[in-house]
Amino acid sequence: MINFLILPILVPLITAVILIFLNKSVIAQRWVAGLSAFATVILSALLVNQVKNDGIQTLNLSNWDAPFGITLVSDMLSSLLVLTTSIVAFACIIYSFKGIGEDREKYHFYAALQFLIVGVNGAFTTGDIFNLFVFFEVMLMSSYALILLGGTKIQLRESIKYILVNVISSGLFVIAVGYLYSVVGTLNMAHIAERVSEISGVSQPGVITIIGIIFLIVFGLKGAIFPLYFWLPGSYYAPPAPVMAIFGALLTKVGVYSIIRTYSLFFYEEGGYVQQVIMILAILTIITGIIGALAYWDVKKIIIYNIIVAVGIILFGVSTMNENALTGSIFYLIHDMIIKAGLFLLVGLMATITGTNNLKQMGGLIKNYPGFSWTFFLAALALAGIPPLSGFVGKVLIVQGGFSSEHFIGAAIVLASSLFVLISIMKIFINGIWGEPKTFANEKTVPYKQLLIAPVILVILSICYGVGADFVYPYISQAAESLINTNLYIDAVLKE
């Protein structure tokens, strides 16, 4: 039987190497990148089906069995995130054919993007805490190239901050892994969970809690939780739309996934210190994101601050750590990856048509661009969680989980965030799309129909995800089950 687990990592890796040698032919790069991305989507879907039918998949990359060798692990959470990543990457590549510019395409844009997908899919799939660091670095090195590609003044300025923050974060990551290894004597995540359980007894010792907080700082920097989000608004604002969409949809979610995986496996303690810290930070993250989204009149900044809101909502569900909340967090995580990518591509198209990111200089786009306008409207409703769209189901489950665990204030803030997110996103629709039509200098040269294809695909997928919640719920529920019952993950990896 074919094990599809490694293919969503291997295919982009081989593609990236091939694309390095095709830099002189933009057309060849587009074909290879597009076909590879589509193949990765198919392989990821087959992986999800394999996990659904056969349970958690593992693959040892040497003759050494776990916990001594390097192990890849794909449970339902991992496989769903790999599939979503592949879909988002495919959509962004389609948009890039007309939306990134040939100058960037010639300088290995598609190769860097494929390497980034290797890092993201690898981080979702690895069963080894040190190799999580390795895949993080693959992802980050690719993102350094992408954020700089084009060499505009704002890119050069923001890239310094972005690289500096991530270098510090990577240093802390290595320190945290070293401390953890000194305590438990292993790097395999399933084996770490066993060792932590053995040494913890009735309650976790202080050293495990301290290591947990260090990891929270590391992943919090990458996931942009309060107060570690300070680098994100400027850094994500700098690159062009398809890169911004990839960053906004995927990179912060790798940090969120890392918190979910490590917290549920070996830093979780009912009512423990780490749990309380994550919950408080999640609530503060939501509030901070809402303030930023409401304050700005820049279309990119509004969507960027809504990333921060979503991170807070997901982590509140994770910190609650009951079945409803975890299921809701996973549902909302996948929703947010899809809809954020679509919205970034839409505001990128909006900025391309109007020649500005300032809402006060826009207006009346619905007259000449009705397809774009109503696509954006549906995306806005989905982001805010209006039923029956995709944001609704996850948020309701998170709120139910919060109330059932008697975390009333946090659940109320999550519920109220829907209103504020809707206000922030509808500000774009009312001021930029509705209203008095304006004439824009470059709009006739914009390949509008071609650029609209990718965001339409993502918005339609988001609608189907919400309307078809009954169909996808068994997959999400299976993903939550492996987080709640960690023995399923441990036994699959260690073959107990």
Side-chain angles (χ1 to χ4, degrees):
M1 183 179 66
I2 298 174
N3 193 329
F4 293 101
L5 186 152
I6 197 172
L7 295 181
I9 303 171
L10 195 59
V11 170
L13 177 61
I14 295 171
T15 304
V17 174
I18 293 171
L19 286 169
I20 290 173
F21 298 99
L22 297 177
N23 63 306
K24 293 183 179 179
S25 175
V26 170
I27 300 300
Q29 286 189 72
R30 290 174 181 174
W31 274 101
V32 171
L35 290 173
S36 171
F38 183 73
T40 305
V41 172
I42 300 300
L43 293 169
S44 302
L46 291 172
L47 174 60
V48 171
N49 184 64
Q50 188 174 48
V51 174
K52 176 69 175 174
N53 294 330
D54 302 328
I56 297 173
Q57 301 295 300
T58 64
L59 180 65
N60 295 315
L61 298 182
S62 65
N63 291 326
W64 294 91
D65 292 332
F68 306 107
I70 295 172
T71 306
L72 297 179
V73 186
S74 192
D75 61 356
M76 186 55 74
L77 173 61
S78 169
S79 61
L80 286 173
L81 293 180
V82 167
L83 175 59
T84 309
T85 297
S86 303
I87 292 169
V88 168
F90 177 60
C92 290
I93 286 172
I94 292 174
Y95 186 95
S96 299
F97 293 164
K98 293 293 183 180
I100 195 72
E102 285 196 16
D103 289 342
R104 288 186 171 95
E105 287 178 297
K106 289 177 181 177
Y107 284 96
H108 305 294
F109 165 74
Y110 294 110
L113 185 57
Q114 293 287 342
F115 277 123
L116 185 139
I117 300 308
V118 171
V120 173
N121 283 347
F124 288 147
T125 307
T126 185
D128 182 287
I129 193 72
F130 182 76
N131 280 289
L132 179 61
F133 166 76
V134 171
F135 282 117
F136 259 104
E137 292 308 297
V138 173
M139 176 186 76
L140 290 172
M141 284 187 287
S142 306
S143 69
Y144 299 156
L146 290 170
I147 198 173
L148 279 168
L149 202 60
T152 62
K153 183 178 179 180
I154 185 173
Q155 286 178 283
L156 294 172
R157 184 184 71 237
E158 292 299 332
S159 65
I160 294 171
K161 178 171 63 179
Y162 178 75
I163 292 171
L164 182 61
V165 166
N166 281 293
V167 166
I168 294 170
S169 175
S170 297
L172 284 173
F173 199 163
V174 173
I175 292 169
V177 170
Y179 275 132
L180 185 61
Y181 183 78
S182 70
V183 174
V184 298
T186 182
L187 295 171
N188 182 283
M189 289 196 280
H191 201 210
I192 292 170
E194 275 197 339
R195 289 289 179 86
V196 169
S197 178
E198 289 170 4
I199 67 175
S200 293
V202 177
S203 62
Q204 289 181 326
V207 67
I208 296 296
T209 299
I210 291 170
I211 294 171
I213 294 297
I214 296 173
F215 271 104
L216 181 59
I217 293 170
V218 171
F219 298 140
L221 269 169
K222 298 181 187 299
I225 67 175
F226 179 90
L228 306 173
Y229 69 91
F230 59 89
W231 58 271
L232 185 141
S235 298
Y236 281 18
Y237 188 88
V243 177
M244 186 170 55
I246 283 284
F247 282 16
L250 303 183
L251 298 196
T252 52
K253 305 311 185 295
V254 176
V256 170
Y257 165 80
S258 301
I259 292 174
I260 294 172
R261 179 64 73 196
T262 57
Y263 172 62
S264 63
L265 262 180
F266 39 83
F267 293 132
Y268 176 66
E269 179 191 7
E270 185 67 41
Y273 182 72
V274 178
Q275 179 187 14
Q276 294 173 19
V277 169
I278 292 177
M279 182 170 292
I280 293 168
L281 293 180
I283 293 169
L284 292 173
T285 302
I286 296 170
I287 295 169
T288 304
I290 288 170
I291 292 170
L294 293 174
Y296 281 96
W297 284 82
D298 185 298
V299 291
K300 288 184 180 180
K301 285 287 179 70
I302 291 170
I303 307 300
I304 287 169
Y305 274 96
N306 272 299
I307 295 174
I308 298 170
V309 176
V311 168
I313 291 170
I314 295 163
L315 289 181
F316 174 78
V318 173
S319 68
T320 304
M321 205 62 186
N322 59 48
E323 185 175 356
N324 274 343
L326 271 178
T327 304
S329 289
I330 296 168
F331 201 104
Y332 197 85
L333 173 59
I334 295 169
H335 143 79
D336 195 67
M337 292 169 72
I338 296 168
I339 205 64
K340 280 296 191 318
L343 278 167
F344 274 119
L345 295 180
L346 286 167
V347 297
L349 176 54
M350 194 176 185
T352 303
I353 292 169
T354 61
T356 180
N357 295 310
N358 190 339
L359 269 177
K360 295 180 180 179
Q361 298 175 17
M362 300 179 185
L365 288 174
I366 195 169
K367 181 179 179 181
N368 295 322
Y369 306 97
F372 159 81
S373 302
W374 293 116
T375 300
F376 185 91
F377 181 75
L378 289 172
L381 296 183
L383 181 67
I386 303 300
L389 301 175
S390 58
F392 174 72
V393 179
K395 194 169 286 187
V396 165
L397 288 171
I398 291 171
V399 171
Q400 284 180 347
F403 281 130
S404 66
S405 297
E406 299 184 354
H407 299 299
F408 301 113
I409 295 175
I413 290 172
V414 170
L415 194 59
S417 69
S418 294
L419 174 62
F420 294 111
V421 167
L422 183 62
I423 292 170
S424 71
I425 205 77
M426 290 308 291
K427 181 165 69 174
I428 298 177
F429 186 82
I430 292 168
N431 293 278
I433 295 174
W434 209 257
E436 190 68 26
K438 295 181 181 179
T439 302
F440 306 104
N442 299 320
E443 61 179 315
K444 292 183 179 179
T445 63
V446 175
Y448 160 70
K449 292 182 179 178
Q450 293 95 320
L451 291 176
L452 191 59
I453 293 171
V456 165
I457 290 172
L458 291 171
V459 172
I460 289 173
L461 184 61
S462 174
I463 292 170
C464 293
Y465 183 55
V467 174
D470 287 343
F471 173 77
V472 300
Y473 186 83
Y475 294 86
I476 306 296
S477 180
Q478 185 176 336
E481 184 182 6
S482 66
L483 296 178
I484 294 169
N485 184 5
T486 54
N487 287 329
L488 294 173
Y489 184 95
I490 295 169
D491 293 347
V493 175
L494 301 179
K495 312 296 184 188
E496 295 181 350

